[in-house]
Tab-separated table of all heavy atoms in Angstrom:
chain	number	residue	atom	x	y	z
A	96	ILE	N	15.169	99.481	37.100
A	96	ILE	CA	15.952	98.287	37.403
A	96	ILE	C	17.012	98.616	38.457
A	96	ILE	O	17.257	97.834	39.378
A	96	ILE	CB	16.596	97.718	36.124
A	96	ILE	CG1	15.502	97.204	35.180
A	96	ILE	CG2	17.586	96.599	36.453
A	96	ILE	CD1	16.014	96.774	33.809
A	97	ALA	N	17.605	99.785	38.349
A	97	ALA	CA	18.625	100.204	39.324
A	97	ALA	C	18.025	100.384	40.710
A	97	ALA	O	18.710	100.166	41.730
A	97	ALA	CB	19.292	101.496	38.861
A	98	ALA	N	16.742	100.749	40.769
A	98	ALA	CA	16.100	101.010	42.070
A	98	ALA	C	15.507	99.755	42.700
A	98	ALA	O	15.122	99.776	43.878
A	98	ALA	CB	14.999	102.057	41.887
A	99	ALA	N	15.420	98.652	41.955
A	99	ALA	CA	14.821	97.418	42.488
A	99	ALA	C	15.643	96.899	43.664
A	99	ALA	O	16.878	96.872	43.607
A	99	ALA	CB	14.734	96.364	41.394
A	100	VAL	N	14.964	96.448	44.724
A	100	VAL	CA	15.683	96.018	45.932
A	100	VAL	C	15.565	94.515	46.193
A	100	VAL	O	16.155	94.009	47.140
A	100	VAL	CB	15.190	96.800	47.171
A	100	VAL	CG1	15.531	98.268	47.052
A	100	VAL	CG2	13.686	96.609	47.384
A	101	THR	N	14.785	93.802	45.365
A	101	THR	CA	14.677	92.350	45.519
A	101	THR	C	14.821	91.688	44.151
A	101	THR	O	14.613	92.318	43.107
A	101	THR	CB	13.328	91.932	46.116
A	101	THR	OG1	12.281	92.237	45.181
A	101	THR	CG2	13.057	92.635	47.437
A	102	LYS	N	15.135	90.402	44.175
A	102	LYS	CA	15.231	89.645	42.931
A	102	LYS	C	13.879	89.600	42.223
A	102	LYS	O	13.810	89.641	40.993
A	102	LYS	CB	15.720	88.229	43.218
A	102	LYS	CG	17.170	88.147	43.685
A	102	LYS	CD	17.558	86.714	43.996
A	102	LYS	CE	18.984	86.613	44.527
A	102	LYS	NZ	19.353	85.224	44.895
A	103	ALA	N	12.801	89.513	43.009
A	103	ALA	CA	11.458	89.448	42.419
A	103	ALA	C	11.150	90.705	41.613
A	103	ALA	O	10.573	90.634	40.521
A	103	ALA	CB	10.411	89.249	43.512
A	104	GLU	N	11.527	91.878	42.141
A	104	GLU	CA	11.275	93.135	41.428
A	104	GLU	C	12.041	93.166	40.111
A	104	GLU	O	11.527	93.617	39.081
A	104	GLU	CB	11.698	94.322	42.296
A	104	GLU	CG	10.774	94.586	43.473
A	104	GLU	CD	11.268	95.762	44.302
A	104	GLU	OE1	11.569	96.830	43.726
A	104	GLU	OE2	11.374	95.615	45.532
A	105	ILE	N	13.280	92.694	40.144
A	105	ILE	CA	14.083	92.682	38.914
A	105	ILE	C	13.453	91.758	37.882
A	105	ILE	O	13.368	92.095	36.694
A	105	ILE	CB	15.534	92.268	39.238
A	105	ILE	CG1	16.238	93.391	40.012
A	105	ILE	CG2	16.305	91.949	37.957
A	105	ILE	CD1	17.625	93.045	40.478
A	106	GLU	N	13.001	90.586	38.321
A	106	GLU	CA	12.374	89.644	37.388
A	106	GLU	C	11.071	90.191	36.826
A	106	GLU	O	10.740	89.943	35.664
A	106	GLU	CB	12.149	88.294	38.065
A	106	GLU	CG	13.424	87.574	38.491
A	106	GLU	CD	14.438	87.396	37.375
A	106	GLU	OE1	14.032	87.201	36.202
A	106	GLU	OE2	15.649	87.484	37.660
A	107	ASP	N	10.315	90.962	37.646
A	107	ASP	CA	9.084	91.582	37.147
A	107	ASP	C	9.399	92.561	36.019
A	107	ASP	O	8.688	92.616	34.999
A	107	ASP	CB	8.356	92.329	38.270
A	107	ASP	CG	7.685	91.389	39.267
A	107	ASP	OD1	7.584	90.184	38.966
A	107	ASP	OD2	7.285	91.864	40.353
A	108	LEU	N	10.465	93.343	36.196
A	108	LEU	CA	10.846	94.332	35.182
A	108	LEU	C	11.391	93.665	33.923
A	108	LEU	O	11.224	94.180	32.811
A	108	LEU	CB	11.887	95.295	35.766
A	108	LEU	CG	11.370	96.243	36.854
A	108	LEU	CD1	12.511	96.842	37.655
A	108	LEU	CD2	10.524	97.353	36.230
A	109	TYR	N	12.009	92.508	34.105
A	109	TYR	CA	12.603	91.808	32.963
A	109	TYR	C	11.572	90.988	32.180
A	109	TYR	O	11.780	90.668	31.006
A	109	TYR	CB	13.725	90.896	33.473
A	109	TYR	CG	14.483	90.145	32.407
A	109	TYR	CD1	14.902	90.780	31.236
A	109	TYR	CD2	14.779	88.791	32.572
A	109	TYR	CE1	15.601	90.092	30.255
A	109	TYR	CE2	15.478	88.089	31.596
A	109	TYR	CZ	15.891	88.745	30.446
A	109	TYR	OH	16.583	88.068	29.475
A	110	ALA	N	10.443	90.674	32.832
A	110	ALA	CA	9.459	89.758	32.231
A	110	ALA	C	9.063	90.117	30.793
A	110	ALA	O	9.008	89.234	29.928
A	110	ALA	CB	8.219	89.675	33.121
A	111	PRO	N	8.775	91.403	30.461
A	111	PRO	CA	8.362	91.701	29.080
A	111	PRO	C	9.462	91.459	28.050
A	111	PRO	O	9.181	91.346	26.860
A	111	PRO	CB	8.008	93.205	29.146
A	111	PRO	CG	7.784	93.499	30.589
A	111	PRO	CD	8.703	92.589	31.333
A	112	PHE	N	10.715	91.387	28.500
A	112	PHE	CA	11.844	91.275	27.563
A	112	PHE	C	12.483	89.885	27.579
A	112	PHE	O	13.410	89.617	26.832
A	112	PHE	CB	12.906	92.326	27.918
A	112	PHE	CG	12.351	93.702	28.063
A	112	PHE	CD1	12.009	94.203	29.320
A	112	PHE	CD2	12.118	94.489	26.950
A	112	PHE	CE1	11.473	95.471	29.454
A	112	PHE	CE2	11.586	95.764	27.076
A	112	PHE	CZ	11.247	96.254	28.329
A	113	LYS	N	11.970	89.028	28.446
A	113	LYS	CA	12.561	87.695	28.585
A	113	LYS	C	12.211	86.845	27.361
A	113	LYS	O	11.045	86.796	26.958
A	113	LYS	CB	12.021	87.034	29.852
A	113	LYS	CG	12.704	85.724	30.205
A	113	LYS	CD	12.126	85.139	31.481
A	113	LYS	CE	12.441	86.009	32.682
A	113	LYS	NZ	11.978	85.382	33.949
A	114	PRO	N	13.206	86.196	26.773
A	114	PRO	CA	12.904	85.305	25.635
A	114	PRO	C	11.891	84.238	26.056
A	114	PRO	O	12.013	83.638	27.117
A	114	PRO	CB	14.266	84.670	25.320
A	114	PRO	CG	15.272	85.636	25.870
A	114	PRO	CD	14.634	86.233	27.086
A	115	LYS	N	10.885	84.051	25.235
A	115	LYS	CA	9.840	83.087	25.598
A	115	LYS	C	9.369	82.322	24.374
A	115	LYS	O	9.650	82.718	23.237
A	115	LYS	CB	8.666	83.805	26.274
A	115	LYS	CG	8.112	84.979	25.488
A	115	LYS	CD	6.919	85.624	26.193
A	115	LYS	CE	7.340	86.469	27.364
A	115	LYS	NZ	7.921	87.778	26.957
A	116	ARG	N	8.660	81.242	24.647
A	116	ARG	CA	8.100	80.472	23.540
A	116	ARG	C	7.031	81.297	22.811
A	116	ARG	O	6.489	82.250	23.358
A	116	ARG	CB	7.489	79.179	24.074
A	116	ARG	CG	8.512	78.169	24.579
A	116	ARG	CD	7.843	76.959	25.170
A	116	ARG	NE	7.058	77.293	26.354
A	116	ARG	CZ	6.354	76.417	27.048
A	116	ARG	NH1	6.303	75.154	26.661
A	116	ARG	NH2	5.675	76.790	28.111
Side-chain angles (χ1 to χ4, degrees):
I96 294 173
V100 295
T101 66
K102 291 178 183 177
E104 288 179 50
I105 289 175
E106 296 306 326
D107 287 348
L108 291 163
Y109 183 44
F112 309 96
K113 188 179 294 185
K115 52 178 76 76
R116 290 176 296 179

